[in-house]
Amino acid sequence: MSLVPKHIKQLSPYKPGKTIESVKRKYNIKHIVKLASNENPLGPSKKALDAVSDILFNSHRYPDASGLILREKLANSFDVKIDNVILGSGSEGIMSSIMRTFLKEKDELISSENSFIGFRVLANASGKKTNWIPKKSFRYDLKAIAEKINRNTKIIYIANPDNPTGTYITKDEFDSFMSNVPDRVLVVLDEAYFEYANHIEDYPDSMFYRYDNVITLRTFSKVYGLAGFRVGYGFAHQDLIGNLMKVKLPFEPSSSSQVAAIAALDDLNHLDKTIALNKKEMIRVCQFLKDNKFNFIPSVANFVTIVFNSRNDTVNASNFLLKNGVIVRDLIGFGLPCSIRITIGKESENEVFMQKISEYIGNL
Ligand SMILES: Cc1ncc(COP(=O)(O)O)c(C=O)c1O
């Protein structure tokens, strides 16, 4: 249709992980283990749910457009001013606002191949030229990214740790990269898995740097277990935040999402439990993969990517798991056609995964 611009016609829509309901129906299976979307296997914090149930009777009211209480709480927790904090419908909601706020005519973007697909979809939808830089050993090649900066470059996107590879950029790499990025270029540092990686000594927590041209994005979708609520937050210089606030949808996130996130921030016990479970189970799953000679990418997040020898092997393994009630993520959409990504689940869920993939290799 001529109403639709060419770059939109050419877009491939975002393909999320399969839902539990769709797999139940298709394969007529009652019990499904979903290890496909890097969600918190322990679910949401009970405190968050209690807080939400209290405010549902106020659902006829619009949300607080300024997100005051949640922004204040985040500002206090991270020792910044409220004017440095933005909220959105997930961190992807903020990414979308970033595109609409800062990009103009000839602006270009730079990111990496095989990185977070959500950013790729938004970059392609923006209609701007994006330079996708190949990774080196499944890691961002920051040197190559810096070398690609030209006078039209406006946004550089880096996910740290990255999804789907689970690798991270180090403090030294980040320092030397930033010394090559001009102030007129905005660096979007997506730290959706920050809480899983923050204990690593050479992991650069971007909140310590406070560059005026860096936006840090974080989310309640992962470690906080609130993916269904859609709450993301970002930190940046107040000038950037002030302009983003003009462009974002006024009432995102919803009232219940704001309330859930406020309560989740106070539930440190749930946070600690989630991180401890992931740590323990990551070791167990990786040991299993090693013992069974799988080729996988060591990860500092809450998922691990297995690399197969061919597309055929990948499809066969992922279909076998699916038919046996285990949903994993085929990474063809991420540009890794020979890989699947497995979210680290609860002990019992990982057990099912290991048992089923053992059956699969046993049948080969
Ligand atoms: C690197 C990365 N950034 C952002 C997101 C999306 O987060 P949100 O649910 O806050 O939009 C994800 C989700 O998978 C992700 O892996």
Side-chain angles (χ1 to χ4, degrees):
M1 221 163 76
S2 57
L3 286 175
V4 184
K6 195 164 151 230
H7 71 276
I8 299 293
K9 273 190 189 158
Q10 285 170 344
L11 276 183
S12 324
Y14 178 71
K15 283 203 191 82
K18 292 186 172 54
T19 62
I20 292 179
E21 207 42 53
S22 69
V23 175
K24 267 187 183 171
R25 278 189 200 184
K26 183 161 179 196
Y27 297 103
N28 200 16
I29 311 173
K30 279 210 177 76
H31 187 69
I32 303 286
V33 170
K34 185 180 180 222
L35 302 175
S37 301
N38 306 339
E39 296 147 342
N40 184 333
L42 296 178
S45 133
K46 171 87 174 37
K47 285 188 178 172
L49 295 184
D50 288 348
V52 170
S53 67
D54 285 350
I55 64 116
L56 287 180
F57 288 101
N58 265 337
S59 296
H60 57 302
R61 304 281 180 212
Y62 278 98
D64 172 5
S66 73
L68 185 72
I69 300 177
L70 178 54
R71 284 171 68 221
E72 218 164 46
K73 209 166 170 66
L74 288 164
N76 290 338
S77 306
F78 290 94
D79 193 22
V80 291
K81 289 185 290 182
I82 189 168
D83 296 343
N84 299 115
V85 187
I86 185 148
L87 306 176
S89 280
S91 46
E92 276 190 74
I94 305 176
M95 277 181 224
S96 167
S97 300
I98 290 172
M99 304 290 192
R100 289 182 292 122
T101 305
F102 300 111
L103 291 175
K104 56 182 182 1
E105 298 104 49
K106 294 208 167 86
D107 286 347
E108 295 181 11
L109 304 97
I110 309 180
S111 190
S112 188
E113 286 177 357
N114 318 128
S115 182
F116 178 50
I117 197 168
F119 175 78
R120 178 135 59 88
V121 171
L122 287 170
N124 290 339
S126 76
K128 306 293 175 202
K129 181 176 173 197
T130 307
N131 289 294
W132 302 105
I133 309 299
K135 281 190 174 164
K136 261 190 179 165
S137 309
F138 300 111
R139 300 182 71 247
Y140 276 93
D141 186 349
L142 290 184
K143 212 163 156 259
I145 290 179
E147 278 164 11
K148 203 73 189 177
I149 295 172
N150 64 33
R151 61 195 168 90
N152 292 327
T153 303
K154 185 60 170 289
I155 292 178
I156 299 177
Y157 170 86
I158 295 165
N160 196 36
D162 192 22
N163 171 17
T165 50
T167 54
Y168 70 101
I169 58 167
T170 65
K171 282 180 180 165
D172 286 351
E173 286 168 333
F174 182 60
D175 284 340
S176 87
F177 171 69
M178 286 307 294
S179 68
N180 289 310
V181 176
D183 295 348
R184 60 173 175 82
V185 175
L186 191 61
V187 176
V188 178
L189 260 191
D190 178 348
E191 295 179 343
Y193 303 95
F194 160 81
E195 295 85 355
Y196 294 106
N198 188 31
H199 63 281
I200 300 170
E201 207 172 312
D202 63 348
Y203 171 80
D205 170 357
S206 63
M207 289 304 288
F208 278 112
Y209 293 84
R210 312 277 163 97
Y211 287 106
D212 287 353
N213 60 334
V214 170
I215 297 187
T216 297
L217 297 184
R218 293 192 186 159
T219 182
F220 285 91
S221 297
K222 305 298 175 186
V223 85
Y224 290 102
L226 298 179
F229 277 104
R230 315 301 305 126
V231 199
Y233 55 105
F235 299 111
H237 187 280
Q238 63 186 48
D239 248 22
L240 300 181
I241 297 293
N243 284 292
L244 274 168
M245 293 288 273
K246 296 181 206 162
V247 173
K248 81 180 259 292
L249 295 179
F251 295 114
E252 61 173 330
S254 71
S255 315
S256 46
S257 306
Q258 292 186 35
V259 165
I262 291 163
L265 275 178
D266 282 334
D267 197 347
L268 295 181
N269 188 30
H270 187 65
L271 195 73
D272 291 347
K273 260 202 210 152
T274 303
I275 293 169
L277 171 75
N278 184 67
K279 190 173 171 199
K280 181 169 137 265
E281 288 298 301
M282 174 69 89
I283 293 172
R284 209 162 69 87
V285 170
C286 288
Q287 189 58 52
F288 164 86
L289 295 174
K290 223 181 260 173
D291 293 346
N292 287 280
K293 312 263 180 306
F294 282 101
N295 189 9
F296 65 94
I297 309 169
S299 163
V300 296
N302 65 343
F303 53 83
V304 60
T305 286
I306 304 178
V307 184
F308 290 89
N309 289 328
S310 67
R311 177 67 194 151
N312 226 7
D313 285 356
T314 315
V315 172
N316 290 341
S318 109
N319 283 345
F320 182 90
L321 289 169
L322 206 53
K323 283 181 190 152
N324 284 280
V326 183
I327 314 178
V328 297
R329 191 76 189 259
D330 182 329
L331 295 180
I332 189 163
F334 288 70
L336 294 172
C338 296
S339 299
I340 58 173
R341 189 192 64 202
I342 294 127
T343 302
I344 302 297
K346 283 191 277 213
E347 187 177 336
S348 57
E349 294 173 322
N350 300 330
E351 210 53 64
V352 175
F353 160 71
M354 292 190 279
Q355 189 194 329
K356 294 301 171 193
I357 196 119
S358 299
E359 277 172 32
Y360 170 72
I361 43 181
N363 289 343
L364 288 178

